[in-house]
Amino acid sequence: MANEVTVFRLVDVALHNKSKGEDKSIWTVIHDKVYDITKFLDEHPGGEEILIENAGLDATENFEDVGHSSDAREMLEEYYIGDVHEEDKTGSKEIGTKSWGSGPANIEEESSWSSWLVPMAFALIASMMYRYLFVKEEE
């Protein structure tokens, strides 16, 4: 069967965290899929250090936090070597690229008046307290 997927336990993935020497091997897990990214170390735009830090680990959260492009997500397919064992899966789903323009209403726009009103009130009160405490009245 050519379509049979290789399944890896996380303990097996964890063994592939060597960045130097003849047995150099860097594997990582993203969305319950295992990737051998050893050949990608030199090409990674963010540097090899971040890949080495996540070697042998589930790097899903770090991968998503960076907001990788759709091209980066497509490149992952080239390094795919199998799936995580059913018992080790986290159940994370790929959410796709981040869309910076969509999402909940912009809170900043809704409360823009309060963003300057509160500091102005504070400054007024502080000014009145200063005058009361430190400025001597001339008679």
Side-chain angles (χ1 to χ4, degrees), residues 60-110:
T60 302
E61 188 174 342
N62 292 337
F63 182 83
E64 291 298 343
D65 285 349
V66 171
H68 283 89
S69 67
S70 55
D71 290 341
R73 293 169 189 280
E74 288 175 22
M75 288 178 72
L76 273 178
E77 295 172 16
E78 184 180 334
Y79 303 100
Y80 172 77
I81 57 172
D83 287 343
V84 172
H85 190 275
E86 207 57 44
E87 292 178 13
D88 293 334
K89 286 188 176 183
T90 61
S92 66
K93 302 290 180 208
E94 186 160 352
I95 57 174
T97 58
K98 285 188 179 181
S99 177
W100 300 106
S102 66
N106 191 350
I107 296 169
E108 184 116 9
E109 291 175 9
E110 294 174 6

